Structure formats: C-alpha cells, structure tokens
Amino acid sequence: MSSDLKAALLRRCRAMEIPLVGVADVERWENPPFRPWMPEEFYPQRIFPEARSVIVIGLPVHLPALESAPSIWYRETYLTVNALLDQYTYRLAEYLNEEGYPSVFVPRDGYGGIGALIKKPVAFFSHRHAAYFAGLGTFGVNNMLLTPEYGPRVRFGSILTAAPLPPDPVMTEEVCNHCMRCVEMCPASALDREDYPAGLTDRGACARNSAELEKRRLAPCGICIKVCPIGKDRVFYGREDASVYARSERRPDLHRAWEHVRSYGGK
C-alpha cells in the first residue's frame, strides 16, 4: 500500500512538472552523517510528532537569471520559485491528508525576514538536510546541497507526513569537486575551505551582507551558487567554464548583459 501511495504521489509531482522528488525516513535524522550535527529539536519528528516520512521536492533556479546576481532578475526568480514551492508542498500535503495520512507542508524559508536571520541565523527546519536524506544530492563547500542536475541552483520544499513511504537511497557519491570558487568569490568572506561539510564559517556575515542587499531590494546574494561549476544545467546553457564570472575577457557579451540587468530595478 505504501509503495502504491508513493507511486501516486510521484505521478502528481510529474503532473506539476516538479523535476526533483525524494523521500526520507525520519529515523535517518537520528544517525548523523557528519559532525557537528543539529540538535534534536530540529528533527522532523520533533516538529511534527506524527511524522514517519519526509517528502522533499526541488525546483531549479534558472542559471541565466542567477548569473546577473545580485539583481532584481535573480530576486524575482528566487521569490517565484519560493512561492511555487509553498503551493506545491501544500497541495501534496493536502492530497496525503485526503488519503488519510496526517501531513503538513513546511514553508520554504522559515524566518520572517533578514532582520530575524541576523538575530538568529538558522530556521526551525532544514530543507537542505532533508533533501540530503531524501537522496537528492550531497553537501558542497558552500554549505548548499549540490545536485547532479542543477548543482546548488535548486530550492527545496518539504512535507512532513504520517505516511510510511518507502525511502529513497541516500546519495553516497560526493558531488562537490572542491574547486573553492565559492570560497574565493564570497563577498562576505563567510566560507572556509576547512569548514566543509559542517556549514558556514560565519552565518552572521552572510546574513549581514544580505541585509545590505535588501536595503537596495536586491537580496538574496546568490554568488556562491552561481559560480559553482557542478550541474548539467551548465552544459544546457553553455556555461561549462565557470571561470567566466571572474574573467570578463572570456565572455564580454555575458558581462555586458549582467551589468545591464544590475543597472535597473534596485535602489
């Protein structure tokens, strides 16, 4: 029965044109893959005690829009993807409720704004860790989940459900190639090559940089995910050479386009 339910759920995801879907058993949180690990109050079964499975969906951030970051183009793309994630996860949770399995969606960010993030730079639930346990990717030096399809250029949303769904295997092959472009090009110096995979060296610095961009209505930053060379989307858009972001002579046409976009829409 649980396998039939999962198959029906996957069909719904395909109908919604959701490209990435994975399922994790909540017990996986109790066996941390690395240290330091999150406190137990962040586990899905602590947030929703009925939870037996976590369904994670991923939507890509289109690389050409992201390349102009920080910009109004990337900001609007980011907000659009966030809105779709909330709508899709809500609809999937409601479907599971109708099937008799108590379920609830988790909002894609989980904080009320950058001011709240500066005060406490962590959300009540990590979609990235859920996506890892659901087999969608592995962590990179930039503290993002890297997927084979889109590298870190993916936003995730989650559903906590009482349905005992068959889990997907956790990805064991490391996706990150440790090129360190994210470390070298981070405008806030928030990343450290020695901190992988535990997380950001300085979450506060990242949040403060976002706060400055927010004053200009250009947040989020996006630099560490646009310079990452991982992902089939780079091949699709003809961007295999990720060094183009630091060396304008490689593609002056692209740099002209990015500067044009950045010149409009912000303060």
Side-chain angles (χ1 to χ4, degrees), residues 239-258:
R239 304 291 203 273
E240 295 94 327
D241 182 9
S243 69
V244 66
Y245 304 117
R247 302 178 63 180
S248 60
E249 71 273 12
R250 294 287 181 88
R251 289 293 302 272
D253 56 333
L254 291 178
H255 282 264
R256 284 194 299 269
W258 301 334

Side-chain angles (χ1 to χ4, degrees), residues 6 9 21-25 28 53-56 133-135 165-169:
K6 183 177 179 180
L9 193 71
V21 186
V23 175
D25 189 308
R28 289 179 174 174
S53 304
V54 181
I55 305 158
V56 185
F133 281 135
L165 300 171
D168 291 297

